[in-house]
Amino acid sequence: ALGVDRMFVRAMNEQDIETVMKTYDESTVFVQGPGRENMTRLDNIRRVLAEFLALRPLRGLIHRGLSAGRRRP
């Protein structure tokens, strides 16, 4: 799982949506945060992540991922 976490972080920082999406599968529930709808279906998750990646000022700020409810160092 740590390898997938690193792949995710690298892909997010490189704004590589195709590689980011390889870290998700059909059973994924994407938690957006308090008061926001949890996302299911890969096309919905892709849309949300693409919108996030469009916020270019945030590029390079992602240091770690969250996997199965646990924070990774």
Side-chain angles (χ1 to χ4, degrees):
L2 189 55
V4 172
D5 289 348
R6 287 183 180 147
M7 181 172 74
F8 173 84
V9 169
R10 186 176 325 127
M12 286 294 285
N13 284 325
E14 293 173 359
Q15 297 184 312
D16 179 356
I17 190 70
E18 297 306 319
T19 301
V20 168
M21 291 308 298
K22 289 178 184 177
T23 66
Y24 295 98
D25 65 28
E26 292 296 330
S27 67
T28 299
V29 176
F30 186 84
V31 180
Q32 296 189 82
R36 301 201 57 200
E37 181 182 347
N38 292 342
M39 304 299 290
T40 58
R41 295 188 30 206
L42 293 176
D43 58 332
N44 290 333
I45 294 168
R46 176 185 290 274
R47 180 182 48 79
V48 168
L49 288 173
E51 290 171 2
F52 179 77
L53 289 177
L55 301 172
R56 292 180 184 256
L58 295 177
R59 187 169 184 230
L61 295 179
I62 299 168
H63 309 309
R64 54 184 152 181
L66 186 65
S67 177
R70 293 187 178 174
R71 198 177 191 128
R72 297 282 187 190

